[in-house]
PDB file of all heavy atoms in Angstrom:
ATOM      1  N   VAL A 994      58.750  92.211  30.963  1.00  0.00           N
ATOM      2  CA  VAL A 994      57.406  91.843  30.487  1.00  0.00           C
ATOM      3  C   VAL A 994      57.088  92.728  29.181  1.00  0.00           C
ATOM      4  O   VAL A 994      56.609  92.281  28.155  1.00  0.00           O
ATOM      5  CB  VAL A 994      56.430  92.089  31.533  1.00  0.00           C
ATOM      6  CG1 VAL A 994      55.009  91.961  31.064  1.00  0.00           C
ATOM      7  CG2 VAL A 994      56.536  90.966  32.666  1.00  0.00           C
ATOM      8  N   ARG A 995      57.327  94.004  29.352  1.00  0.00           N
ATOM      9  CA  ARG A 995      57.000  94.969  28.320  1.00  0.00           C
ATOM     10  C   ARG A 995      57.824  94.631  27.103  1.00  0.00           C
ATOM     11  O   ARG A 995      57.255  94.704  25.928  1.00  0.00           O
ATOM     12  CB  ARG A 995      57.174  96.381  28.835  1.00  0.00           C
ATOM     13  CG  ARG A 995      56.158  96.955  29.841  1.00  0.00           C
ATOM     14  CD  ARG A 995      56.291  98.295  30.187  1.00  0.00           C
ATOM     15  NE  ARG A 995      55.456  98.705  31.205  1.00  0.00           N
ATOM     16  CZ  ARG A 995      55.913  99.049  32.442  1.00  0.00           C
ATOM     17  NH1 ARG A 995      57.204  98.827  32.788  1.00  0.00           N
ATOM     18  NH2 ARG A 995      55.059  99.447  33.339  1.00  0.00           N
ATOM     19  N   ILE A 996      59.143  94.460  27.206  1.00  0.00           N
ATOM     20  CA  ILE A 996      59.992  94.298  26.087  1.00  0.00           C
ATOM     21  C   ILE A 996      59.573  93.011  25.276  1.00  0.00           C
ATOM     22  O   ILE A 996      59.705  92.934  24.049  1.00  0.00           O
ATOM     23  CB  ILE A 996      61.438  94.188  26.476  1.00  0.00           C
ATOM     24  CG1 ILE A 996      61.920  95.654  27.061  1.00  0.00           C
ATOM     25  CG2 ILE A 996      62.432  93.638  25.517  1.00  0.00           C
ATOM     26  CD1 ILE A 996      63.231  95.483  27.687  1.00  0.00           C
ATOM     27  N   CYS A 997      59.064  92.018  26.137  1.00  0.00           N
ATOM     28  CA  CYS A 997      58.701  90.762  25.546  1.00  0.00           C
ATOM     29  C   CYS A 997      57.334  90.599  25.014  1.00  0.00           C
ATOM     30  O   CYS A 997      56.793  89.538  24.657  1.00  0.00           O
ATOM     31  CB  CYS A 997      59.011  89.542  26.428  1.00  0.00           C
ATOM     32  SG  CYS A 997      60.772  89.330  26.861  1.00  0.00           S
ATOM     33  N   GLY A 998      56.540  91.759  24.908  1.00  0.00           N
ATOM     34  CA  GLY A 998      55.247  91.745  24.292  1.00  0.00           C
ATOM     35  C   GLY A 998      54.082  91.655  25.215  1.00  0.00           C
ATOM     36  O   GLY A 998      52.955  91.580  24.886  1.00  0.00           O
ATOM     37  N   GLY A 999      54.400  91.660  26.564  1.00  0.00           N
ATOM     38  CA  GLY A 999      53.329  91.770  27.651  1.00  0.00           C
ATOM     39  C   GLY A 999      53.025  93.089  27.933  1.00  0.00           C
ATOM     40  O   GLY A 999      53.646  94.029  27.541  1.00  0.00           O
ATOM     41  N   THR A1000      52.105  93.230  28.926  1.00  0.00           N
ATOM     42  CA  THR A1000      51.718  94.509  29.428  1.00  0.00           C
ATOM     43  C   THR A1000      51.819  94.520  31.040  1.00  0.00           C
ATOM     44  O   THR A1000      51.736  93.530  31.547  1.00  0.00           O
ATOM     45  CB  THR A1000      50.264  94.903  29.022  1.00  0.00           C
ATOM     46  OG1 THR A1000      49.392  94.073  29.519  1.00  0.00           O
ATOM     47  CG2 THR A1000      50.203  95.079  27.553  1.00  0.00           C
ATOM     48  N   ILE A1001      51.959  95.692  31.620  1.00  0.00           N
ATOM     49  CA  ILE A1001      51.862  95.882  32.960  1.00  0.00           C
ATOM     50  C   ILE A1001      50.696  96.873  33.336  1.00  0.00           C
ATOM     51  O   ILE A1001      50.706  98.098  32.894  1.00  0.00           O
ATOM     52  CB  ILE A1001      53.237  96.544  33.576  1.00  0.00           C
ATOM     53  CG1 ILE A1001      54.404  95.525  33.341  1.00  0.00           C
ATOM     54  CG2 ILE A1001      53.121  96.942  35.059  1.00  0.00           C
ATOM     55  CD1 ILE A1001      54.321  94.134  34.189  1.00  0.00           C
ATOM     56  N   GLY A1002      49.744  96.250  33.963  1.00  0.00           N
ATOM     57  CA  GLY A1002      48.577  97.197  34.298  1.00  0.00           C
ATOM     58  C   GLY A1002      48.530  97.872  35.588  1.00  0.00           C
ATOM     59  O   GLY A1002      47.889  98.907  35.902  1.00  0.00           O
ATOM     60  N   VAL A1003      49.360  97.308  36.583  1.00  0.00           N
ATOM     61  CA  VAL A1003      49.446  97.872  37.984  1.00  0.00           C
ATOM     62  C   VAL A1003      50.916  97.871  38.412  1.00  0.00           C
ATOM     63  O   VAL A1003      51.590  96.723  38.336  1.00  0.00           O
ATOM     64  CB  VAL A1003      48.618  97.107  39.026  1.00  0.00           C
ATOM     65  CG1 VAL A1003      48.860  97.501  40.225  1.00  0.00           C
ATOM     66  CG2 VAL A1003      47.095  97.035  38.517  1.00  0.00           C
ATOM     67  N   GLY A1004      51.348  98.965  38.809  1.00  0.00           N
ATOM     68  CA  GLY A1004      52.783  99.141  39.444  1.00  0.00           C
ATOM     69  C   GLY A1004      53.834  99.160  38.404  1.00  0.00           C
ATOM     70  O   GLY A1004      53.499  99.617  37.152  1.00  0.00           O
ATOM     71  N   PRO A1005      55.085  98.886  38.877  1.00  0.00           N
ATOM     72  CA  PRO A1005      55.397  98.370  40.150  1.00  0.00           C
ATOM     73  C   PRO A1005      55.233  99.365  41.218  1.00  0.00           C
ATOM     74  O   PRO A1005      55.375 100.644  41.016  1.00  0.00           O
ATOM     75  CB  PRO A1005      56.961  98.066  39.977  1.00  0.00           C
ATOM     76  CG  PRO A1005      57.215  97.929  38.423  1.00  0.00           C
ATOM     77  CD  PRO A1005      56.240  98.874  37.871  1.00  0.00           C
ATOM     78  N   LEU A1006      54.845  98.956  42.341  1.00  0.00           N
ATOM     79  CA  LEU A1006      54.533  99.789  43.561  1.00  0.00           C
ATOM     80  C   LEU A1006      54.790  99.017  44.884  1.00  0.00           C
ATOM     81  O   LEU A1006      54.878  97.776  44.758  1.00  0.00           O
ATOM     82  CB  LEU A1006      53.169 100.318  43.559  1.00  0.00           C
ATOM     83  CG  LEU A1006      52.012  99.392  43.121  1.00  0.00           C
ATOM     84  CD1 LEU A1006      51.567  98.703  44.367  1.00  0.00           C
ATOM     85  CD2 LEU A1006      50.811 100.114  42.632  1.00  0.00           C
ATOM     86  N   ASP A1007      55.174  99.737  45.905  1.00  0.00           N
ATOM     87  CA  ASP A1007      55.314  99.074  47.211  1.00  0.00           C
ATOM     88  C   ASP A1007      53.998  98.741  47.962  1.00  0.00           C
ATOM     89  O   ASP A1007      53.052  99.426  47.891  1.00  0.00           O
ATOM     90  CB  ASP A1007      56.179 100.085  48.027  1.00  0.00           C
ATOM     91  CG  ASP A1007      57.516 100.323  47.471  1.00  0.00           C
ATOM     92  OD1 ASP A1007      58.168  99.305  46.849  1.00  0.00           O
ATOM     93  OD2 ASP A1007      58.015 101.544  47.544  1.00  0.00           O
ATOM     94  N   ALA A1008      54.174  97.482  48.645  1.00  0.00           N
ATOM     95  CA  ALA A1008      53.168  97.200  49.478  1.00  0.00           C
ATOM     96  C   ALA A1008      53.700  97.246  50.912  1.00  0.00           C
ATOM     97  O   ALA A1008      54.111  96.284  51.666  1.00  0.00           O
ATOM     98  CB  ALA A1008      52.780  95.693  49.265  1.00  0.00           C
ATOM     99  N   ALA A1009      53.594  98.594  51.399  1.00  0.00           N
ATOM    100  CA  ALA A1009      54.297  98.878  52.760  1.00  0.00           C
ATOM    101  C   ALA A1009      55.631  98.350  52.862  1.00  0.00           C
ATOM    102  O   ALA A1009      56.388  98.412  51.880  1.00  0.00           O
ATOM    103  CB  ALA A1009      53.406  98.432  53.851  1.00  0.00           C
ATOM    104  N   ASP A1010      55.994  97.614  53.968  1.00  0.00           N
ATOM    105  CA  ASP A1010      57.360  97.105  54.020  1.00  0.00           C
ATOM    106  C   ASP A1010      57.345  95.534  53.699  1.00  0.00           C
ATOM    107  O   ASP A1010      58.417  94.816  53.837  1.00  0.00           O
ATOM    108  CB  ASP A1010      57.859  97.207  55.505  1.00  0.00           C
ATOM    109  CG  ASP A1010      56.982  96.562  56.538  1.00  0.00           C
ATOM    110  OD1 ASP A1010      56.037  96.008  56.162  1.00  0.00           O
ATOM    111  OD2 ASP A1010      57.417  96.291  57.712  1.00  0.00           O
ATOM    112  N   ALA A1011      56.187  95.140  53.086  1.00  0.00           N
ATOM    113  CA  ALA A1011      56.139  93.613  52.761  1.00  0.00           C
ATOM    114  C   ALA A1011      56.885  93.323  51.473  1.00  0.00           C
ATOM    115  O   ALA A1011      57.567  92.262  51.394  1.00  0.00           O
ATOM    116  CB  ALA A1011      54.743  93.237  52.592  1.00  0.00           C
ATOM    117  N   GLY A1012      56.955  94.194  50.487  1.00  0.00           N
ATOM    118  CA  GLY A1012      57.615  93.944  49.257  1.00  0.00           C
ATOM    119  C   GLY A1012      57.176  94.856  48.156  1.00  0.00           C
ATOM    120  O   GLY A1012      56.389  95.915  48.460  1.00  0.00           O
ATOM    121  N   ARG A1013      57.538  94.674  46.884  1.00  0.00           N
ATOM    122  CA  ARG A1013      57.143  95.402  45.826  1.00  0.00           C
ATOM    123  C   ARG A1013      56.496  94.516  44.879  1.00  0.00           C
ATOM    124  O   ARG A1013      56.979  93.382  44.530  1.00  0.00           O
ATOM    125  CB  ARG A1013      58.407  96.141  45.298  1.00  0.00           C
ATOM    126  CG  ARG A1013      58.121  97.274  44.107  1.00  0.00           C
ATOM    127  CD  ARG A1013      59.382  98.056  43.921  1.00  0.00           C
ATOM    128  NE  ARG A1013      59.175  99.054  42.929  1.00  0.00           N
ATOM    129  CZ  ARG A1013      58.537 100.140  42.953  1.00  0.00           C
ATOM    130  NH1 ARG A1013      58.034 100.444  44.159  1.00  0.00           N
ATOM    131  NH2 ARG A1013      58.504 101.054  41.968  1.00  0.00           N
ATOM    132  N   LEU A1014      55.437  94.990  44.189  1.00  0.00           N
ATOM    133  CA  LEU A1014      54.653  94.112  43.220  1.00  0.00           C
ATOM    134  C   LEU A1014      54.414  94.852  41.821  1.00  0.00           C
ATOM    135  O   LEU A1014      54.488  96.252  41.810  1.00  0.00           O
ATOM    136  CB  LEU A1014      53.395  93.610  43.871  1.00  0.00           C
ATOM    137  CG  LEU A1014      52.275  94.612  44.304  1.00  0.00           C
ATOM    138  CD1 LEU A1014      51.414  94.964  42.983  1.00  0.00           C
ATOM    139  CD2 LEU A1014      51.489  94.222  45.475  1.00  0.00           C
ATOM    140  N   ALA A1015      53.960  94.036  41.000  1.00  0.00           N
ATOM    141  CA  ALA A1015      53.443  94.540  39.672  1.00  0.00           C
ATOM    142  C   ALA A1015      52.478  93.559  39.203  1.00  0.00           C
ATOM    143  O   ALA A1015      52.563  92.219  39.580  1.00  0.00           O
ATOM    144  CB  ALA A1015      54.527  94.772  38.585  1.00  0.00           C
ATOM    145  N   ILE A1016      51.361  93.909  38.521  1.00  0.00           N
ATOM    146  CA  ILE A1016      50.505  92.934  37.922  1.00  0.00           C
ATOM    147  C   ILE A1016      50.450  93.208  36.444  1.00  0.00           C
ATOM    148  O   ILE A1016      50.329  94.370  36.017  1.00  0.00           O
ATOM    149  CB  ILE A1016      49.067  93.162  38.500  1.00  0.00           C
ATOM    150  CG1 ILE A1016      49.050  92.942  40.090  1.00  0.00           C
ATOM    151  CG2 ILE A1016      48.143  92.211  37.814  1.00  0.00           C
ATOM    152  CD1 ILE A1016      47.695  93.219  40.713  1.00  0.00           C
ATOM    153  N   GLY A1017      50.669  92.153  35.681  1.00  0.00           N
ATOM    154  CA  GLY A1017      50.694  92.197  34.207  1.00  0.00           C
ATOM    155  C   GLY A1017      50.034  91.219  33.547  1.00  0.00           C
ATOM    156  O   GLY A1017      49.303  90.421  34.150  1.00  0.00           O
ATOM    157  N   SER A1018      50.176  91.177  32.158  1.00  0.00           N
ATOM    158  CA  SER A1018      49.552  89.999  31.440  1.00  0.00           C
ATOM    159  C   SER A1018      50.531  89.676  30.322  1.00  0.00           C
ATOM    160  O   SER A1018      51.333  90.423  30.000  1.00  0.00           O
ATOM    161  CB  SER A1018      48.359  90.484  30.820  1.00  0.00           C
ATOM    162  OG  SER A1018      48.528  91.734  30.020  1.00  0.00           O
ATOM    163  N   ASP A1019      50.472  88.325  29.913  1.00  0.00           N
ATOM    164  CA  ASP A1019      51.273  87.959  28.955  1.00  0.00           C
ATOM    165  C   ASP A1019      50.926  88.488  27.542  1.00  0.00           C
ATOM    166  O   ASP A1019      49.930  89.025  27.431  1.00  0.00           O
ATOM    167  CB  ASP A1019      51.708  86.396  28.967  1.00  0.00           C
ATOM    168  CG  ASP A1019      50.370  85.545  28.865  1.00  0.00           C
ATOM    169  OD1 ASP A1019      49.481  86.104  27.953  1.00  0.00           O
ATOM    170  OD2 ASP A1019      50.200  84.539  29.288  1.00  0.00           O
ATOM    171  N   PRO A1020      51.576  88.114  26.429  1.00  0.00           N
ATOM    172  CA  PRO A1020      51.225  88.548  25.088  1.00  0.00           C
ATOM    173  C   PRO A1020      49.711  88.138  24.752  1.00  0.00           C
ATOM    174  O   PRO A1020      49.168  88.831  23.724  1.00  0.00           O
ATOM    175  CB  PRO A1020      52.153  88.044  24.160  1.00  0.00           C
ATOM    176  CG  PRO A1020      53.432  87.897  25.038  1.00  0.00           C
ATOM    177  CD  PRO A1020      52.873  87.487  26.323  1.00  0.00           C
ATOM    178  N   CYS A1021      49.273  86.950  25.224  1.00  0.00           N
ATOM    179  CA  CYS A1021      47.926  86.627  24.920  1.00  0.00           C
ATOM    180  C   CYS A1021      46.881  87.089  25.816  1.00  0.00           C
ATOM    181  O   CYS A1021      45.605  86.713  25.682  1.00  0.00           O
ATOM    182  CB  CYS A1021      48.044  84.920  24.836  1.00  0.00           C
ATOM    183  SG  CYS A1021      48.809  84.312  23.453  1.00  0.00           S
ATOM    184  N   GLY A1022      47.245  87.683  27.063  1.00  0.00           N
ATOM    185  CA  GLY A1022      46.333  88.268  27.910  1.00  0.00           C
ATOM    186  C   GLY A1022      46.165  87.689  29.173  1.00  0.00           C
ATOM    187  O   GLY A1022      45.275  88.180  30.006  1.00  0.00           O
ATOM    188  N   ALA A1023      46.761  86.535  29.516  1.00  0.00           N
ATOM    189  CA  ALA A1023      46.712  85.980  30.827  1.00  0.00           C
ATOM    190  C   ALA A1023      47.390  86.864  31.860  1.00  0.00           C
ATOM    191  O   ALA A1023      48.440  87.206  31.661  1.00  0.00           O
ATOM    192  CB  ALA A1023      47.227  84.574  30.817  1.00  0.00           C
ATOM    193  N   VAL A1024      46.607  86.997  33.089  1.00  0.00           N
ATOM    194  CA  VAL A1024      47.169  87.985  34.111  1.00  0.00           C
ATOM    195  C   VAL A1024      47.944  87.181  35.044  1.00  0.00           C
ATOM    196  O   VAL A1024      47.592  86.064  35.374  1.00  0.00           O
ATOM    197  CB  VAL A1024      45.891  88.592  34.795  1.00  0.00           C
ATOM    198  CG1 VAL A1024      46.311  89.564  35.963  1.00  0.00           C
ATOM    199  CG2 VAL A1024      45.094  89.414  33.895  1.00  0.00           C
ATOM    200  N   PHE A1025      49.016  87.757  35.467  1.00  0.00           N
ATOM    201  CA  PHE A1025      49.948  87.231  36.433  1.00  0.00           C
ATOM    202  C   PHE A1025      50.535  88.378  37.243  1.00  0.00           C
ATOM    203  O   PHE A1025      50.498  89.504  36.886  1.00  0.00           O
ATOM    204  CB  PHE A1025      51.040  86.337  35.787  1.00  0.00           C
ATOM    205  CG  PHE A1025      51.938  87.174  34.991  1.00  0.00           C
ATOM    206  CD1 PHE A1025      53.045  87.679  35.506  1.00  0.00           C
ATOM    207  CD2 PHE A1025      51.603  87.203  33.656  1.00  0.00           C
ATOM    208  CE1 PHE A1025      53.964  88.462  34.739  1.00  0.00           C
ATOM    209  CE2 PHE A1025      52.384  87.986  32.827  1.00  0.00           C
ATOM    210  CZ  PHE A1025      53.560  88.649  33.471  1.00  0.00           C
TER     211      PHE A1025
END
Side-chain angles (χ1 to χ4, degrees):
V994 167
R995 295 188 182 100
I996 291 170
C997 294
T1000 61
I1001 296 295
V1003 177
L1006 48 84
D1007 292 327
D1010 63 349
R1013 189 163 174 80
L1014 67 85
I1016 301 173
S1018 58
D1019 65 31
C1021 290
V1024 177
F1025 63 90

